[in-house]
Amino acid sequence: GSRQIQLWHFILELLRKEEYHDVIAWQGDYGEFVIKDPDEVARLWGARKCKPQMNYDKLSRALRYYYNKRILHKTKGKRFTYKFNFNKLVLVNYPFIDMGSTGSSVPQSAPPVPTGAGTHFRFPPSTPSEVLSPNDDLRSPGGMFSSVVRRMGRGSVSDCSDGTSVNSEIEEGNIGAGEERGDRGISGGGGPGGGGGGYRGIIHPRLSHETLFRMYGGPGNPSLSPFPVSPLPGPGGAGLLAPPLSPALSMTPSHLPYTPSPTLSPMLGSHFSFNPEDMKRYLQAHTQSVYNYGLSPRAFLQYPNIVIPQPHRPTADKAGLTGERGERAERAGPEPPHMSPFKFKLQPPPLGRKQRDSSGSGSMSSTSGLGSSLSFSSDLSSASGSGVISASSSTQSLNSAGLPKIKVEPISDIESEEEVEVTDISEEDPDERDEEFELFSPHLSRAPEHRHHHFANGTAAPQHQSHAEDDLDEEVFKAPAPPPPGLMPFYASQHTHSNAHRGLPILKSEPIDAGDTLPPQTGSAGAPQTKCIPLKLRFKRRWSEDQRMEAAQEESDDKKVRPEEERERERQSNGRMEIEEDGTGSGDGDSPPPLAYEGSLPTPLKVSAELHRATAQLSLENKDC
DNA sequence: TCCGGAAAAT
DNA sequence: ATTTTCCGGA
């Protein structure tokens, strides 16, 4: 039944609608949400699935199945609280988003930074585009909740045989009133504060719907049914109209380039897609968070388009400890704006080749600097074709601005990865690394060229790592399909300045070579890679960043797989107690994302804006029972 | 409450 | 393949 809506999609749907804030809402941080009214959520879910007998017990069982899939985790110690593994959900699917250019707007809800290191650090270097497009959009009213929903031809109304008849609010987000809302809900009138009343009152659902539809070029794609999901009466209330609703759109004159269509949708099986713009932002945020958390930069490897500020690193210094790079950050100027708080090794630009390339710039990818050098083998990718190889890596080119951009080497560059992992990120838990690795590099393959390239660099290292173990991953996490060519313009439009020259990412397809594959590190970082690791061992670790912070209250992984360690860790974690509670007073100031719901929500929500945004854009289809 | 095994249902 | 149902156990 992958065809049908999946529970996590549904949850996300609910989460992004303030109508349901009384029932389920983001709380805590970074993907954490609380089911405030389990019965209601179950009821809604049951309605959607036409399973009147649904109850929280069953629903929660379904949620538990997500644990191993790593879509969700339980936040221990907090009742009815779960957490999305958002990274996976998003990043994996939108590797092609260029994070480099988007501006500094990311700050927001990057999850709490443990060390505080992140403060001065801004991942996305400021760029011209940043200037041009102020990030204020983040806060702007309509921003985050616009969404595009793709519906099946008949998807709009699903009728359950039983009388429940409730399906729809979610599906129809915009339709007039929710029938069932009446019963519980938002009784006060629209949840958040009864005061203003829900946005429904403010925006005419219909109107907004139409408007958006239009914006998206709806006519062209009838299947699209964008609608505003959130009120966000912005300051001045101006935000109600369509344009404001989607800052992304407004910023992107030609948002049209990205027209979610079934075929184009990155998520193949699931009908779930994000607006590229938002994704871009999200990714930025994520990136920042990665930095903040001191995660392995490896995460970036999967995203060729990501430009990482180059710490000065003329030559290959392998063990380069991080120390030095730390502080010279220069903003504008031809130099890379930031240094990364953590140490990682960037792939040295292949000098000789680089130059050649710059002149020749034959095929896009390598020259473009951003071209993706990776390919994801996904259903689509196969469809889309095969393989081109992007050149590797590192060719970096100066952008028009003259900023040297360095692209982190995709998987192919094992060496650097290893370096990173082993040398630099000591803190990092091997497991996590694995996780990350796996998370972000679903199905990658190396092109032969890469190898050569590497050697040329002198970095010939035992490369493996391409690891192909994603078999474990679920569909949802499958590698994203290569961005449709049509999408690319998106970037260009966004970043005319620096990125315009970039070529389209190219897909390279390469059969996964088992031999090459490097199994995720199982534990010993330093240990030599073993070619074959038992499947069990390879099982992915569930968590990544925040998990660690949160202290491990969460089990690290599948007990089954690695019983011993896990258990232990878990024990420790359990020992820990959770203090967080709701927040009334917590000074934390939950930061509901920049969104201002109207006024303020009754309940302080601490939500990761990125999460919000991203989820806001998701679309799902198929609501038929 | 939460966790998962098991089996059935879709 | 995912979810529903049922359920014993912590």
Side-chain angles (χ1 to χ4, degrees):
Chain A
S2 57
R3 200 81 193 130
Q4 273 225 299
I5 184 171
Q6 286 180 279
L7 179 55
W8 64 274
H9 282 200
F10 180 80
I11 296 292
L12 243 28
E13 272 292 294
L14 291 178
L15 285 169
R16 65 180 236 259
K17 302 188 175 194
E18 78 289 355
E19 299 101 286
Y20 297 99
H21 281 355
D22 288 342
V23 174
I24 185 174
W26 295 113
Q27 202 169 82
D29 42 44
Y30 216 62
E32 255 182 39
F33 64 92
V34 175
I35 294 173
K36 298 173 180 173
D37 186 341
D39 294 332
E40 178 64 5
V41 171
R43 190 177 70 76
L44 291 167
W45 174 233
R48 172 61 74 81
K49 294 289 294 292
C50 295
K51 293 287 181 203
Q53 304 307 316
M54 182 53 57
N55 58 33
Y56 180 72
D57 182 61
K58 292 168 186 172
L59 180 148
S60 66
R61 181 68 189 89
L63 290 177
R64 269 176 251 131
Y65 273 120
Y66 289 142
Y67 298 172
N68 283 338
K69 295 180 169 222
R70 282 162 298 116
I71 288 172
L72 276 185
H73 275 198
K74 181 73 184 66
T75 295
K76 292 180 179 174
K78 293 181 182 176
R79 284 178 39 164
F80 308 126
T81 302
Y82 299 82
K83 189 155 101 178
F84 272 101
N85 182 348
F86 206 52
N87 296 332
K88 186 181 239 180
L89 292 175
V90 178
L91 290 175
V92 164
N93 296 293
Y94 294 85
F96 55 89
I97 291 176
D98 172 18
M99 300 175 68
S101 62
T102 341
S104 48
S105 52
V106 188
Q108 12 114 348
S109 36
V113 177
T115 60
T119 3
H120 63 297
F121 182 76
R122 291 229 179 296
F123 170 63
S126 59
T127 62
S129 63
E130 187 174 345
V131 174
L132 293 178
S133 45
N135 37 329
D136 52 354
D137 53 273
L138 289 177
R139 291 156 220 116
S140 86
M144 13 222 93
F145 288 100
S146 62
S147 66
V148 175
V149 172
R150 188 174 68 244
R151 295 149 154 201
M152 297 301 281
R154 46 171 171 247
S156 57
V157 176
S158 60
D159 42 338
C160 296
S161 51
D162 68 310
T164 318
S165 82
V166 182
N167 37 5
S168 44
E169 302 188 57
I170 296 173
E171 4 184 5
E172 292 297 329
N174 49 345
I175 77 182
E179 320 82 357
E180 68 179 3
R181 218 162 2 158
D183 50 325
R184 98 186 262 41
I186 324 204
S187 40
Y199 70 107
R200 290 176 185 283
I202 298 169
I203 299 175
H204 193 342
R206 232 181 137 163
L207 174 60
S208 54
H209 181 283
E210 292 177 359
T211 308
L212 282 175
F213 194 78
R214 233 178 297 135
M215 290 182 63
Y216 280 85
N221 191 339
S223 62
L224 294 178
S225 176
F227 58 84
V229 180
S230 153
L232 296 181
L240 302 181
L241 295 181
L245 284 175
S246 176
L249 292 177
S250 62
M251 287 174 61
T252 312
S254 55
H255 38 276
L256 303 188
Y258 177 73
T259 303
S261 71
T263 19
L264 294 179
S265 174
M267 305 271 293
L268 308 177
S270 61
H271 312 293
F272 191 127
S273 63
F274 295 98
N275 171 315
E277 252 296 318
D278 287 351
M279 291 310 306
K280 202 202 289 191
R281 289 209 192 77
Y282 168 76
L283 289 174
Q284 288 180 348
H286 173 74
T287 301
Q288 181 168 22
S289 102
V290 168
Y291 277 92
N292 290 342
Y293 282 78
L295 295 178
S296 168
R298 201 163 38 166
F300 296 106
L301 297 178
Q302 315 310 323
Y303 306 89
N305 285 339
I306 294 171
V307 174
I308 294 182
Q310 176 177 17
H312 71 301
R313 175 181 170 233
T315 58
D317 42 341
K318 298 181 175 181
L321 292 184
T322 62
E324 45 183 5
R325 331 188 155 200
E327 293 308 322
R328 48 189 298 284
E330 293 163 354
R331 270 184 128 24
E335 284 301 294
H338 313 312
M339 55 305 173
S340 65
F342 38 175
K343 5 207 77 248
F344 54 84
K345 184 176 180 181
L346 289 176
Q347 178 180 14
L351 300 177
R353 186 178 202 252
K354 177 186 356 230
Q355 294 180 347
R356 278 184 308 190
D357 281 356
S358 63
S359 65
S361 89
S363 64
M364 39 289 227
S365 66
S366 61
T367 332
S368 63
L370 285 182
S372 64
S373 16
L374 303 182
S375 66
F376 294 77
S377 61
S378 65
D379 311 33
L380 273 188
S381 67
S382 61
S384 59
S386 29
V388 179
I389 295 261
S390 62
S392 81
S393 29
S394 25
T395 19
Q396 70 142 95
S397 55
L398 295 179
N399 58 14
S400 58
L403 291 174
K405 290 188 178 178
I406 288 198
K407 184 170 65 174
V408 173
E409 182 62 349
I411 308 280
S412 42
D413 186 343
I414 287 63
E415 187 215 32
S416 56
E417 289 182 4
E418 287 185 350
E419 293 272 338
V420 171
E421 295 180 4
V422 175
T423 304
D424 297 342
I425 305 195
S426 56
E427 298 173 347
E428 198 161 47
D429 175 13
D431 294 338
E432 288 187 5
R433 273 179 284 167
D434 283 356
E435 165 97 342
E436 244 182 82
F437 189 57
E438 292 183 2
L439 285 179
F440 301 112
S441 58
H443 313 271
L444 298 172
S445 49
R446 254 202 305 317
E449 288 185 7
H450 281 71
R451 290 197 190 99
H452 287 88
H453 200 43
H454 291 307
F455 285 94
N457 289 346
T459 56
Q463 49 242 128
H464 308 296
Q465 299 268 315
S466 56
H467 90 305
E469 5 260 11
D470 291 68
D471 36 298
L472 294 176
D473 275 346
E474 300 78 89
E475 290 266 331
V476 242
F477 295 136
K478 271 184 179 170
L487 290 180
M488 286 302 133
F490 167 77
Y491 298 105
S493 65
Q494 289 300 309
H495 324 299
T496 39
H497 303 65
S498 59
N499 302 330
H501 66 289
R502 293 175 186 171
L504 297 180
I506 297 175
L507 195 51
K508 73 184 173 189
S509 67
E510 183 178 351
I512 294 171
D513 177 351
D516 268 355
T517 318
L518 181 58
Q521 324 252 333
T522 333
S524 51
Q529 306 94 352
T530 303
K531 295 205 169 171
C532 298
I533 288 183
L535 204 112
K536 291 180 178 181
L537 293 180
R538 293 186 301 175
F539 209 95
K540 300 160 185 189
R541 296 290 184 176
R542 197 178 283 168
W543 276 134
S544 43
E545 67 266 47
D546 38 332
Q547 288 283 334
R548 197 195 283 152
M549 288 179 63
E550 290 186 3
Q553 27 190 14
E554 313 187 81
E555 50 190 345
S556 343
D557 325 9
D558 308 285
K559 298 171 179 166
K560 296 180 175 181
V561 179
R562 321 178 107 198
E564 316 237 325
E565 296 177 8
E566 320 280 83
R567 294 299 207 215
E568 191 151 54
R569 198 172 304 160
E570 196 167 346
R571 263 174 286 196
Q572 291 177 348
S573 20
N574 287 341
R576 227 177 141 229
M577 52 159 73
E578 287 255 339
I579 301 170
E580 240 175 287
E581 199 39 87
D582 158 332
T584 328
S586 79
D588 195 353
D590 297 347
S591 43
L595 335 171
Y597 288 121
E598 47 195 312
S600 58
L601 293 174
T603 305
L605 297 179
K606 184 175 188 176
V607 180
S608 130
E610 51 249 271
L611 191 55
H612 254 298
R613 258 179 278 117
T615 59
Q617 299 302 328
L618 67 95
S619 64
L620 22 107
E621 78 179 39
N622 208 359
K623 330 202 152 178
D624 46 309
C625 291

